[in-house]
Amino acid sequence: MSDGLQSIDNALVTGGAGFIGSNLAEYLVNFCTVTVYDNLSSGTRDHVPDEAKIVEADLNQTDQLTTAVKNADVVFHHAAQVSVAQSVEAPTSSHSVNLDPSLEILEAARSSGTRVVFASSAAIYGHPEYTPIDETHPKQPSSPYGLEKLTVDHYCKLYHDLYDVEAVALRYFNVYGPRQQGGDYSGVISIFRDQARTGDDITIEGDGEQTRDFIHVDDIVQANLLAATSDAAVGESFNIGTGDSITIRELAETIQAATETDSNIVHVDPREGDIEESRADITKAREDLGFEPEHAIQDGLDRYLSQESN
Ligand code: UD1
């Protein structure tokens, strides 16, 4: 992996103080100069590696954003309004964070030749018509957040086709790992982990038969590096998951057992509009990028539960 990275001198990570961005920045500082662009609204300065430079600015500070992109060989665009619930509550503010600045990044890249790796999402597919979900699956996002991700995902392809911008979209499934924030965007794994640690009930929403494809953030970092360095990535979009799924009940039981907690597993009301089944078909990322997730769920969970800086 480090071989391809030699072609990158300067990397820009928007959202580099957040969950996925800071894990990525931490890896990248070993290979190149890293600039983190973040307004620290939900991310934390502590998560930014010491070696990285921080530009503390909003995404709508277009001049600063454009300059930062133009100074980079690759921009990893992870800064976003990341809450699905918040996008449903306040679509216009979600739109203004997730759409226009992404277009500005592509526009800056158009003149500078900077490669753009965009953090897209499985949310673009909405309720799956079949699983595993491949990249050609119908796109019927069920939230403004999903539609915003889909729009930028399509813009990436269009900027490649129209202007030769080296843009790549990575469609993440359910990501977990150290530094996943709390609050309404906290993923179920960090919620169950916290419940197990504090001895509170582990709350399964619904019957627990719903499935998800959970991927450790370290594998997401590897996917980003491949997207940044592979010729085959350009102008393409890729599902990034493990290709396997487990039920939420299995997840609860695994965390309960691994943490040896006294917490009980309880069932609460199902989430309105919840997706029943989700699993990525990662054949395209495997074949075109050489992507191979290293952490199956059991191993990834063991790793996560033992990681101190969570
Ligand atoms: C995730 C993403 C979302 C993305 C979507 C794409 C996260 C946090 N969210 O949503 O951005 O749009 O994938 O498909 O990664 N659950 C419980 N108990 C809890 C919390 C959750 O049983 O205390 C259940 C939920 O009802 C759901 C499952 O766990 O069935 C996963 O929930 P969550 O981690 O919030 O992720 P998604 O809803 O899949």
Side-chain angles (χ1 to χ4, degrees):
M1 181 55 56
S2 55
D3 288 356
L5 282 176
Q6 279 161 6
S7 60
I8 302 174
D9 292 324
N10 293 294
L12 174 67
V13 184
T14 72
F19 165 41
I20 298 175
S22 68
N23 278 281
L24 178 59
E26 188 173 77
Y27 189 91
L28 286 171
V29 291
N30 297 307
F31 302 98
C32 60
T33 303
V34 176
T35 302
V36 160
Y37 190 104
D38 202 300
N39 66 1
L40 302 178
S41 63
S42 57
T44 313
R45 189 177 283 271
D46 293 350
H47 293 164
V48 179
D50 292 341
E51 301 89 335
K53 178 184 159 203
I54 305 186
V55 177
E56 191 179 334
D58 283 327
L59 283 175
N60 60 16
Q61 289 175 253
T62 306
D63 288 349
Q64 291 214 54
L65 184 60
T66 297
T67 302
V69 172
K70 289 188 172 176
N71 287 336
D73 302 305
V74 183
V75 50
F76 299 91
H77 182 32
H78 282 82
Q81 188 298 103
V82 296
S83 164
V84 174
Q86 217 164 296
S87 80
V88 173
E89 193 99 339
T92 54
S93 59
S94 184
H95 178 110
S96 68
V97 175
N98 289 347
L99 267 167
D100 291 348
S102 303
L103 197 53
E104 296 290 356
I105 286 173
L106 286 165
E107 193 56 24
R110 187 177 155 188
S111 55
S112 62
T114 305
R115 185 173 290 205
V116 179
V117 180
F118 171 61
S120 185
S121 169
I124 68 171
Y125 297 112
H127 287 267
E129 289 184 3
Y130 57 84
T131 56
I133 300 167
D134 56 17
E135 287 80 1
T136 60
H137 184 284
K139 322 289 184 295
Q140 289 151 347
S142 53
S143 64
Y145 170 84
L147 182 56
E148 290 149 16
K149 288 290 179 184
L150 177 60
T151 305
V152 178
D153 185 304
H154 280 180
Y155 263 127
C156 286
K157 167 111 180 82
L158 201 60
Y159 263 67
H160 170 261
D161 294 352
L162 290 177
Y163 313 120
D164 286 331
V165 171
E166 294 190 7
V168 188
L170 299 179
R171 299 170 178 171
Y172 302 151
F173 280 64
N174 286 65
V175 188
Y176 67 97
R179 306 191 194 132
Q180 191 162 28
Q181 69 181 58
D184 66 1
Y185 189 65
S186 193
V188 64
I189 290 184
S190 63
I191 293 173
F192 284 178
R193 191 273 321 266
D194 288 349
Q195 289 169 334
R197 279 190 177 167
T198 52
D200 291 339
D201 288 343
I202 296 175
T203 53
I204 293 179
E205 295 171 351
D207 61 11
E209 289 306 310
Q210 65 271 43
T211 62
R212 290 293 186 276
D213 183 339
F214 292 104
I215 178 158
H216 193 281
V217 69
D218 288 353
D219 284 324
I220 293 286
V221 168
Q222 293 305 315
N224 273 269
L225 305 180
L226 291 165
T229 54
S230 155
D231 290 341
V234 170
E236 297 292 335
S237 49
F238 299 92
N239 285 344
I240 303 297
T242 63
D244 285 320
S245 63
I246 63 166
T247 67
I248 298 303
R249 167 152 279 281
E250 285 173 299
L251 177 71
E253 287 169 355
T254 304
I255 292 177
Q256 188 187 42
T259 54
E260 297 175 357
T261 180
D262 294 331
S263 297
N264 295 310
I265 294 175
V266 301
H267 289 264
V268 299
D269 288 343
R271 188 183 288 182
E272 202 182 331
D274 194 29
I275 286 171
E276 271 302 302
E277 270 187 85
S278 179
R279 178 158 73 94
D281 182 333
I282 58 168
T283 308
K284 185 177 174 190
R286 270 204 170 107
E287 290 182 352
D288 295 0
L289 300 181
F291 173 64
E292 199 52 60
E294 279 186 18
H295 304 290
I297 183 70
Q298 186 64 57
D299 165 58
L301 270 184
D302 288 346
R303 183 178 173 80
Y304 173 56
L305 294 170
S306 66
Q307 277 165 322
E308 278 307 315
S309 58
N310 285 342

